[in-house]
Amino acid sequence: MSRVRTRPTRDDTREKLFEAAARVFEEQGIGGASIEAIAAAAGFTRGAFYSNFKSKDELIIAMLEDHVEQSIGRIRDLLDRHKNLADFIDALKSMDKSHHDPLGRSPLLHMEMILFVARAEKRRPELAKRLRARRKLVTDIIETTARNSGRTTILNPTWAGALVLALEDGFRLHRLIDPETTPPDSFFRAIGDLQRTMGISSA
Amino acid sequence: MSRVRTRPTRDDTREKLFEAAARVFEEQGIGGASIEAIAAAAGFTRGAFYSNFKSKDELIIAMLEDHVEQSIGRIRDLLDRHKNLADFIDALKSMDKSHHDPLGRSPLLHMEMILFVARAEKRRPELAKRLRARRKLVTDIIETTARNSGRTTILNPTWAGALVLALEDGFRLHRLIDPETTPPDSFFRAIGDLQRTMGISSA
DNA sequence: GAAACTCGATACATTATTGTATTGAGTTGC
DNA sequence: GCAACTCAATACAATAATGTATCGAGTTTC
């Protein structure tokens, strides 16, 4: 190793390409983004891109894997540190306030990713499987906290999980076009309502 | 007017381009679709496209206006024919089963459109306004049926509307990647739960 | 039924995008 | 420290996509 590194490491380059791609996808959508635009946004030429990824698809898949892994990791971590659900949700809330959503990406990009996965289902069914694993993690959390609670649950846990997840992404989506009637805490407010009236889990 | 028309009318051509664009956007996404691909899918050349629309953006905006107008019209129509909410929801359910969702387009395209509008917000704020008008229509329905009902509502009507709309699109989205745990009737099931436990409206 | 008009096809010029092959500065192993 | 290696830049060839100008068959008007 030389004393002062002038060339960025491979991981640096990949990381910069990830971030640049996120910005470009955010602005132009996945389909509308050219490889040139991504490389340029990262301060590189296409050469750097092709040296790191075979194609735009491969970059997206790597990003996706990275994001899902981080999201699942964050959730598990939070779950370890906050055993009871009230604390867990409070912790989620404060994460949410710090500009990051629970999945750790911007809402627009998040939606783009889901559409990408949906379209890629036939070519690459493993991508949707990854997203379903994250879903399952959430429903499992709801299921176990429900079981451990003294409260009787009105809804069955799997269904309650589906409900919560639909609300999360539904609000995220609607906030894009109607932030006025969809304040940032809509999701948590809805969760609160569910807890209070349906007993999806104890506090 | 000649006795037998051999050339399609302008409206025919536009309609075919709409349908073709819907198919192409569905497959490749809005950003990934070329004008050539759209024209070809409609059985035309690019010439026909440019003779009818200035750009891809203009086509999308026309499609969007068309779709929102039809959706609002359908909802109003249904509302006129089914005065009480239970009938209204039943009618919605049967529409839903006939391969069309309440907005009258495929889920993937629906999401693409919303993302397009979100991105176009700065350039064209009127598009988001249109979508908000549809949102408002739904919340108004909930509001008036709530007021007319004898039941006490736990939630305020605007919030209940936001909740219902988030669920609609949330399930639509998740059905794309996890149809197993997101059956087609998820939305209606959720509505039923809300009615039963939160009294968002009377039946 | 002839002149004016309409509209999609065609041709063309231009720019964008892609992917590969090669180069050379920077780094690592020995 | 030098040989082997790494990796982003560059150059290049080929294809894709765009937008405009023009043509001509079909349609409308009178």
Side-chain angles (χ1 to χ4, degrees):
Chain A
M1 214 192 285
S2 66
R3 283 176 52 84
V4 176
R5 169 173 285 278
T6 67
R7 193 165 77 176
T9 65
R10 194 164 185 75
D11 280 352
D12 274 348
T13 303
R14 282 177 69 98
E15 189 52 43
K16 275 190 186 148
L17 283 170
F18 279 168
E19 282 162 15
R23 286 196 304 274
V24 175
F25 291 160
E26 167 98 17
E27 271 179 38
Q28 328 197 356
I30 288 180
S34 70
I35 290 173
E36 170 75 38
I38 296 168
F44 295 113
T45 61
R46 264 189 358 271
F49 182 94
Y50 282 113
S51 159
N52 281 280
F53 303 101
K54 275 223 312 263
S55 63
K56 196 166 78 173
D57 264 28
E58 209 184 66
L59 164 76
I60 297 165
I61 290 166
M63 284 176 75
L64 194 59
E65 181 51 39
D66 193 49
H67 279 136
V68 172
E69 197 180 317
Q70 279 186 33
S71 172
I72 289 180
R74 236 181 341 256
I75 294 174
R76 275 194 211 287
D77 188 54
L78 232 53
L79 197 61
D80 284 345
R81 285 187 292 119
H82 307 277
K83 288 293 182 192
N84 81 67
L85 195 61
D87 286 355
F88 179 78
I89 288 176
D90 278 348
L92 260 189
K93 270 188 206 171
S94 49
M95 277 180 68
D96 211 49
K97 286 218 176 89
S98 63
H99 284 287
H100 277 73
D101 75 37
L103 237 170
R105 356 170 164 117
S106 87
L108 253 172
L109 183 58
H110 176 84
M111 296 298 157
E112 284 284 339
M113 289 285 190
I114 293 178
L115 298 194
F116 177 86
V117 170
R119 264 193 202 100
E121 171 76 79
K122 281 167 197 168
R123 266 179 304 140
R124 301 204 165 247
E126 74 275 14
L127 300 182
K129 274 199 191 122
R130 276 310 261 147
L131 292 191
R132 285 195 286 270
R134 183 186 175 268
R135 274 181 71 89
K136 182 117 195 338
L137 178 59
V138 174
T139 54
D140 283 352
I141 290 172
I142 291 172
E143 193 163 354
T144 55
T145 56
R147 213 200 324 274
N148 295 341
S149 85
R151 226 211 258 194
T152 320
T153 59
I154 294 172
L155 306 175
N156 91 57
T158 308
W159 169 240
L163 211 50
V164 168
L165 288 164
L167 283 169
E168 183 192 9
D169 275 339
F171 281 125
R172 214 196 304 257
L173 188 65
H174 283 192
R175 203 169 144 58
L176 290 172
I177 51 167
D178 200 350
E180 198 74 25
T181 70
T182 319
D185 66 338
S186 296
F187 172 59
F188 293 112
R189 187 174 167 191
I191 297 286
D193 288 347
L194 287 184
Q195 286 182 311
R196 239 173 288 117
T197 64
M198 292 185 180
I200 65 162
S201 59
S202 79
Chain B
M1 213 191 290
S2 65
R3 285 177 48 85
V4 177
R5 170 172 285 276
T6 66
R7 191 164 78 176
T9 65
R10 193 161 187 76
D11 281 351
D12 275 348
T13 304
R14 283 177 68 98
E15 189 53 42
K16 274 188 186 150
L17 283 170
F18 280 168
E19 283 162 15
R23 286 196 303 275
V24 176
F25 290 160
E26 166 96 18
E27 272 181 37
Q28 326 198 356
I30 287 180
S34 71
I35 290 174
E36 171 76 41
I38 296 168
F44 294 113
T45 60
R46 262 188 0 270
F49 182 95
Y50 281 112
S51 158
N52 281 279
F53 303 99
K54 273 222 311 264
S55 63
K56 197 166 80 172
D57 264 28
E58 209 183 66
L59 164 77
I60 296 165
I61 290 167
M63 284 175 76
L64 193 59
E65 182 52 38
D66 194 50
H67 278 135
V68 172
E69 198 180 319
Q70 278 185 35
S71 172
I72 289 180
R74 241 186 332 263
I75 294 173
R76 275 194 210 287
D77 188 55
L78 231 55
L79 197 61
D80 284 345
R81 285 187 291 119
H82 307 278
K83 288 293 181 191
N84 81 66
L85 194 60
D87 285 358
F88 178 79
I89 288 176
D90 278 349
L92 259 190
K93 270 188 206 173
S94 50
M95 277 179 68
D96 212 49
K97 287 220 175 88
S98 63
H99 284 288
H100 277 73
D101 75 39
L103 237 171
R105 354 170 167 119
S106 86
L108 252 173
L109 183 56
H110 176 82
M111 296 298 158
E112 284 284 338
M113 289 284 189
I114 293 178
L115 297 194
F116 177 86
V117 170
R119 267 195 200 98
E121 171 75 79
K122 281 167 198 171
R123 268 179 305 141
R124 303 206 164 247
E126 75 274 14
L127 300 182
K129 275 200 191 120
R130 279 308 263 148
L131 291 191
R132 285 194 285 269
R134 183 186 175 267
R135 273 180 71 89
K136 182 120 196 339
L137 179 59
V138 174
T139 56
D140 283 352
I141 290 172
I142 291 172
E143 192 163 355
T144 55
T145 56
R147 213 200 325 275
N148 295 342
S149 86
R151 224 210 260 194
T152 320
T153 58
I154 295 174
L155 306 176
N156 92 56
T158 308
W159 170 241
L163 210 52
V164 168
L165 287 165
L167 283 169
E168 183 192 8
D169 275 340
F171 281 124
R172 215 195 306 254
L173 188 65
H174 284 192
R175 205 170 142 59
L176 290 172
I177 51 167
D178 200 350
E180 198 73 25
T181 69
T182 318
D185 66 337
S186 297
F187 172 59
F188 293 113
R189 186 174 166 193
I191 296 286
D193 288 347
L194 287 184
Q195 286 181 312
R196 240 172 289 115
T197 63
M198 293 189 181
I200 66 159
S201 57
S202 80

